[in-house]
Amino acid sequence: MAAPRYPRPSKAELAAAADRLLPDVVASGLDVLFVGINPGLWSAATGWHFARPGNRFWPALHRGGFTPRQLHPSEQHELPGYGLGITNMVARASARADELTPAELVAGAEILAGKVARYRPRWVAVVGVTAYRIGFARPKAAFGPQPESLAGARLWVLPNPSGLNAHFTPESLGAAFGELHTAATPS
């Protein structure tokens, strides 16, 4: 059976999506809350996180062992059933993450701390080391587990799954997500 086809947002729909907010996919007591940098225009236009074709979040989530099959962004509502959720450091949509200011990332980290205190996930995984370094004032942070916690949750930094991040292949992204999966899976 072929995968369903979804209409591509038009240029006008993408332009209209600038600064739009995308609702979180969140529930109390998640195993892992994934934190994107901010929604892209494609995600804001469709209402689905990590929706742009070429974004490797959904394949990495599956390759890392979090989901039994690769979900389509339109299936994001299924994530809490797997103990997973998605939010963003900065809520507003933009064409590129580099359009965000350091002040927005710092403010976003503070808002994220409040969400984590409210929903109490066990792990918080920020997908983007540069956003993490700026937002949390950790200029030397590396990928993987972080020494500090956030509102009682363990912190992990993952590579940005954007197709623009050519430093990571689909396989290496899957392996990075797999390391988190191993750490976050209760024994």
Short mmCIF file of all heavy atoms in Angstrom, two decimals, residues 3-4 6 50-76 78-79 82 84 170-171 174:
data_model
loop_
_atom_site.label_atom_id
_atom_site.label_comp_id
_atom_site.label_asym_id
_atom_site.label_seq_id
_atom_site.Cartn_x
_atom_site.Cartn_y
_atom_site.Cartn_z
N ALA A 3 2.06 5.11 0.51
CA ALA A 3 1.83 6.12 1.55
C ALA A 3 0.89 7.19 1.00
O ALA A 3 0.94 7.52 -0.17
CB ALA A 3 3.16 6.74 1.98
N PRO A 4 0.01 7.72 1.85
CA PRO A 4 -0.89 8.78 1.37
C PRO A 4 -0.11 10.01 0.95
O PRO A 4 0.95 10.31 1.50
CB PRO A 4 -1.79 9.07 2.57
CG PRO A 4 -1.14 8.45 3.75
CD PRO A 4 -0.17 7.42 3.25
N TYR A 6 0.07 14.09 0.57
CA TYR A 6 -0.48 15.27 1.22
C TYR A 6 -0.18 16.47 0.34
O TYR A 6 0.91 16.56 -0.23
CB TYR A 6 0.14 15.47 2.61
CG TYR A 6 -0.23 14.35 3.54
CD1 TYR A 6 0.57 13.23 3.68
CD2 TYR A 6 -1.42 14.41 4.26
CE1 TYR A 6 0.20 12.20 4.51
CE2 TYR A 6 -1.79 13.37 5.11
CZ TYR A 6 -0.98 12.27 5.22
OH TYR A 6 -1.34 11.24 6.05
N PHE A 50 7.94 19.22 12.49
CA PHE A 50 8.96 18.59 11.63
C PHE A 50 8.35 18.09 10.32
O PHE A 50 8.63 16.98 9.87
CB PHE A 50 9.66 17.44 12.38
CG PHE A 50 10.35 17.86 13.64
CD1 PHE A 50 9.78 17.61 14.88
CD2 PHE A 50 11.57 18.52 13.60
CE1 PHE A 50 10.41 18.00 16.06
CE2 PHE A 50 12.21 18.91 14.77
CZ PHE A 50 11.64 18.65 16.00
N ALA A 51 7.51 18.91 9.72
CA ALA A 51 6.71 18.46 8.57
C ALA A 51 7.38 18.63 7.22
O ALA A 51 6.98 17.99 6.25
CB ALA A 51 5.37 19.19 8.55
N ARG A 52 8.37 19.49 7.11
CA ARG A 52 8.96 19.75 5.80
C ARG A 52 9.58 18.48 5.22
O ARG A 52 10.34 17.79 5.89
CB ARG A 52 10.03 20.84 5.90
CG ARG A 52 10.60 21.22 4.54
CD ARG A 52 11.57 22.40 4.67
NE ARG A 52 12.05 22.79 3.38
CZ ARG A 52 11.39 23.56 2.52
NH1 ARG A 52 10.21 24.03 2.85
NH2 ARG A 52 11.91 23.86 1.36
N PRO A 53 9.26 18.17 3.97
CA PRO A 53 9.93 17.03 3.34
C PRO A 53 11.45 17.26 3.39
O PRO A 53 11.92 18.36 3.17
CB PRO A 53 9.41 17.06 1.90
CG PRO A 53 8.10 17.77 1.99
CD PRO A 53 8.28 18.80 3.08
N GLY A 54 12.16 16.24 3.75
CA GLY A 54 13.61 16.38 3.90
C GLY A 54 14.02 16.51 5.36
O GLY A 54 15.18 16.30 5.69
N ASN A 55 13.08 16.86 6.25
CA ASN A 55 13.41 16.88 7.66
C ASN A 55 13.49 15.42 8.12
O ASN A 55 12.62 14.61 7.79
CB ASN A 55 12.37 17.64 8.48
CG ASN A 55 12.84 17.85 9.91
OD1 ASN A 55 13.03 16.88 10.65
ND2 ASN A 55 13.06 19.08 10.29
N ARG A 56 14.50 15.11 8.87
CA ARG A 56 14.78 13.70 9.20
C ARG A 56 14.37 13.33 10.62
O ARG A 56 14.78 12.29 11.13
CB ARG A 56 16.25 13.44 8.95
CG ARG A 56 16.56 13.69 7.46
CD ARG A 56 18.01 13.83 7.12
NE ARG A 56 18.63 14.89 7.89
CZ ARG A 56 19.96 15.04 7.98
NH1 ARG A 56 20.76 14.22 7.36
NH2 ARG A 56 20.48 16.01 8.69
N PHE A 57 13.55 14.16 11.28
CA PHE A 57 13.13 13.84 12.64
C PHE A 57 12.37 12.52 12.70
O PHE A 57 12.68 11.65 13.51
CB PHE A 57 12.25 14.97 13.20
CG PHE A 57 11.67 14.65 14.56
CD1 PHE A 57 12.43 14.81 15.70
CD2 PHE A 57 10.38 14.17 14.69
CE1 PHE A 57 11.91 14.50 16.95
CE2 PHE A 57 9.84 13.87 15.93
CZ PHE A 57 10.62 14.03 17.07
N TRP A 58 11.34 12.37 11.87
CA TRP A 58 10.49 11.17 11.93
C TRP A 58 11.26 9.90 11.60
O TRP A 58 11.12 8.90 12.31
CB TRP A 58 9.25 11.36 11.07
CG TRP A 58 8.44 12.52 11.57
CD1 TRP A 58 8.44 13.81 11.08
CD2 TRP A 58 7.57 12.53 12.71
NE1 TRP A 58 7.61 14.60 11.85
CE2 TRP A 58 7.07 13.85 12.85
CE3 TRP A 58 7.17 11.57 13.61
CZ2 TRP A 58 6.18 14.21 13.85
CZ3 TRP A 58 6.28 11.93 14.61
CH2 TRP A 58 5.79 13.23 14.72
N PRO A 59 12.12 9.89 10.55
CA PRO A 59 12.94 8.70 10.32
C PRO A 59 13.90 8.42 11.48
O PRO A 59 14.10 7.26 11.87
CB PRO A 59 13.71 9.02 9.04
CG PRO A 59 12.90 10.05 8.34
CD PRO A 59 12.24 10.85 9.44
N ALA A 60 14.50 9.48 12.06
CA ALA A 60 15.44 9.27 13.17
C ALA A 60 14.72 8.74 14.40
O ALA A 60 15.25 7.89 15.13
CB ALA A 60 16.16 10.58 13.50
N LEU A 61 13.51 9.21 14.63
CA LEU A 61 12.71 8.72 15.76
C LEU A 61 12.48 7.22 15.63
O LEU A 61 12.64 6.46 16.60
CB LEU A 61 11.38 9.47 15.78
CG LEU A 61 10.58 9.46 17.07
CD1 LEU A 61 11.31 10.19 18.18
CD2 LEU A 61 9.22 10.11 16.83
N HIS A 62 12.16 6.79 14.42
CA HIS A 62 11.94 5.36 14.18
C HIS A 62 13.25 4.58 14.24
O HIS A 62 13.34 3.55 14.92
CB HIS A 62 11.25 5.15 12.84
CG HIS A 62 11.14 3.72 12.45
ND1 HIS A 62 10.43 2.80 13.19
CD2 HIS A 62 11.67 3.03 11.41
CE1 HIS A 62 10.52 1.61 12.62
NE2 HIS A 62 11.27 1.73 11.54
N ARG A 63 14.28 5.06 13.54
CA ARG A 63 15.57 4.37 13.55
C ARG A 63 16.15 4.27 14.94
O ARG A 63 16.86 3.32 15.27
CB ARG A 63 16.56 5.07 12.64
CG ARG A 63 16.32 4.83 11.20
CD ARG A 63 17.39 5.45 10.35
NE ARG A 63 17.17 5.03 8.98
CZ ARG A 63 17.74 5.56 7.94
NH1 ARG A 63 18.61 6.54 8.10
NH2 ARG A 63 17.48 5.13 6.73
N GLY A 64 15.86 5.27 15.78
CA GLY A 64 16.36 5.26 17.14
C GLY A 64 15.61 4.33 18.07
O GLY A 64 16.00 4.15 19.22
N GLY A 65 14.51 3.74 17.60
CA GLY A 65 13.78 2.77 18.39
C GLY A 65 12.60 3.32 19.17
O GLY A 65 11.98 2.59 19.95
N PHE A 66 12.26 4.59 18.97
CA PHE A 66 11.16 5.19 19.72
C PHE A 66 9.79 4.78 19.20
O PHE A 66 8.82 4.77 19.96
CB PHE A 66 11.26 6.72 19.71
CG PHE A 66 12.32 7.27 20.62
CD1 PHE A 66 13.53 7.71 20.12
CD2 PHE A 66 12.10 7.33 21.99
CE1 PHE A 66 14.49 8.23 20.96
CE2 PHE A 66 13.06 7.85 22.84
CZ PHE A 66 14.27 8.29 22.32
N THR A 67 9.67 4.50 17.91
CA THR A 67 8.39 4.12 17.32
C THR A 67 8.55 2.84 16.52
O THR A 67 9.61 2.61 15.94
CB THR A 67 7.84 5.25 16.39
OG1 THR A 67 8.79 5.52 15.35
CG2 THR A 67 7.55 6.52 17.18
N PRO A 68 7.52 2.00 16.48
CA PRO A 68 7.63 0.72 15.78
C PRO A 68 7.66 0.86 14.26
O PRO A 68 8.04 -0.08 13.56
CB PRO A 68 6.40 -0.06 16.24
CG PRO A 68 5.42 0.99 16.65
CD PRO A 68 6.23 2.14 17.16
N ARG A 69 7.25 2.00 13.76
CA ARG A 69 7.30 2.29 12.32
C ARG A 69 7.52 3.78 12.18
O ARG A 69 7.34 4.54 13.13
CB ARG A 69 6.01 1.86 11.62
CG ARG A 69 4.79 2.63 12.08
CD ARG A 69 3.51 2.23 11.34
NE ARG A 69 2.36 2.91 11.87
CZ ARG A 69 2.00 4.16 11.57
NH1 ARG A 69 2.70 4.86 10.71
NH2 ARG A 69 0.94 4.72 12.11
N GLN A 70 7.91 4.20 10.98
CA GLN A 70 8.09 5.62 10.76
C GLN A 70 6.73 6.30 10.64
O GLN A 70 5.93 5.95 9.79
CB GLN A 70 8.91 5.87 9.49
CG GLN A 70 9.20 7.34 9.28
CD GLN A 70 10.10 7.60 8.10
OE1 GLN A 70 11.06 6.86 7.89
NE2 GLN A 70 9.80 8.63 7.34
N LEU A 71 6.49 7.23 11.53
CA LEU A 71 5.25 7.99 11.50
C LEU A 71 5.36 9.14 10.51
O LEU A 71 6.45 9.67 10.29
CB LEU A 71 4.93 8.55 12.88
CG LEU A 71 4.75 7.56 14.02
CD1 LEU A 71 4.54 8.29 15.34
CD2 LEU A 71 3.60 6.63 13.74
N HIS A 72 4.23 9.51 9.94
CA HIS A 72 4.15 10.72 9.13
C HIS A 72 3.88 11.87 10.09
O HIS A 72 3.24 11.68 11.13
CB HIS A 72 3.02 10.58 8.10
CG HIS A 72 2.92 11.76 7.18
ND1 HIS A 72 2.16 12.86 7.48
CD2 HIS A 72 3.52 12.02 5.99
CE1 HIS A 72 2.27 13.74 6.50
NE2 HIS A 72 3.09 13.26 5.59
N PRO A 73 4.34 13.08 9.78
CA PRO A 73 4.06 14.20 10.68
C PRO A 73 2.58 14.35 11.03
O PRO A 73 2.25 14.78 12.15
CB PRO A 73 4.58 15.42 9.91
CG PRO A 73 5.65 14.87 9.03
CD PRO A 73 5.20 13.49 8.67
N SER A 74 1.69 13.98 10.11
CA SER A 74 0.25 14.08 10.39
C SER A 74 -0.20 13.13 11.49
O SER A 74 -1.31 13.25 12.01
CB SER A 74 -0.56 13.80 9.12
OG SER A 74 -0.38 12.46 8.71
N GLU A 75 0.66 12.19 11.86
CA GLU A 75 0.35 11.23 12.92
C GLU A 75 0.96 11.64 14.27
O GLU A 75 1.02 10.85 15.20
CB GLU A 75 0.87 9.84 12.53
CG GLU A 75 0.20 9.29 11.28
CD GLU A 75 0.82 7.97 10.85
OE1 GLU A 75 2.03 7.96 10.47
OE2 GLU A 75 0.10 6.95 10.89
N GLN A 76 1.37 12.89 14.39
CA GLN A 76 2.02 13.35 15.62
C GLN A 76 1.17 13.13 16.86
O GLN A 76 1.69 12.96 17.96
CB GLN A 76 2.43 14.82 15.50
CG GLN A 76 1.27 15.78 15.40
CD GLN A 76 1.72 17.22 15.17
OE1 GLN A 76 2.86 17.50 14.80
NE2 GLN A 76 0.79 18.14 15.41
N GLU A 78 -0.17 10.58 17.78
CA GLU A 78 0.11 9.25 18.33
C GLU A 78 1.29 9.25 19.31
O GLU A 78 1.47 8.30 20.06
CB GLU A 78 0.37 8.25 17.20
CG GLU A 78 -0.84 7.99 16.33
CD GLU A 78 -0.60 6.93 15.27
OE1 GLU A 78 0.32 6.09 15.45
OE2 GLU A 78 -1.33 6.94 14.27
N LEU A 79 2.10 10.28 19.28
CA LEU A 79 3.32 10.30 20.09
C LEU A 79 3.09 10.10 21.59
O LEU A 79 3.82 9.32 22.22
CB LEU A 79 4.12 11.57 19.84
CG LEU A 79 4.81 11.65 18.47
CD1 LEU A 79 5.51 12.99 18.32
CD2 LEU A 79 5.78 10.51 18.28
N TYR A 82 3.25 6.70 22.87
CA TYR A 82 4.58 6.10 22.96
C TYR A 82 5.41 6.75 24.07
O TYR A 82 6.61 6.50 24.18
CB TYR A 82 5.33 6.25 21.62
CG TYR A 82 4.70 5.52 20.47
CD1 TYR A 82 4.14 6.21 19.40
CD2 TYR A 82 4.64 4.13 20.45
CE1 TYR A 82 3.56 5.55 18.34
CE2 TYR A 82 4.05 3.45 19.39
CZ TYR A 82 3.51 4.17 18.34
OH TYR A 82 2.93 3.50 17.30
N LEU A 84 5.97 10.04 24.26
CA LEU A 84 6.76 11.09 23.62
C LEU A 84 5.93 12.34 23.37
O LEU A 84 4.70 12.26 23.24
CB LEU A 84 7.29 10.58 22.27
CG LEU A 84 8.02 9.24 22.28
CD1 LEU A 84 8.32 8.79 20.87
CD2 LEU A 84 9.28 9.32 23.12
N PRO A 170 21.28 10.23 7.71
CA PRO A 170 20.13 9.59 8.36
C PRO A 170 20.55 8.49 9.34
O PRO A 170 19.96 8.34 10.40
CB PRO A 170 19.34 9.02 7.17
CG PRO A 170 19.69 9.93 6.03
CD PRO A 170 21.13 10.30 6.25
N GLU A 171 21.60 7.76 8.99
CA GLU A 171 22.08 6.69 9.87
C GLU A 171 22.66 7.24 11.16
O GLU A 171 22.39 6.72 12.26
CB GLU A 171 23.13 5.83 9.14
CG GLU A 171 22.58 5.03 7.98
CD GLU A 171 22.31 5.87 6.72
OE1 GLU A 171 22.87 6.98 6.57
OE2 GLU A 171 21.51 5.41 5.88
N GLY A 174 19.89 8.55 13.34
CA GLY A 174 19.20 7.42 13.98
C GLY A 174 20.00 6.87 15.15
O GLY A 174 19.44 6.54 16.21
#
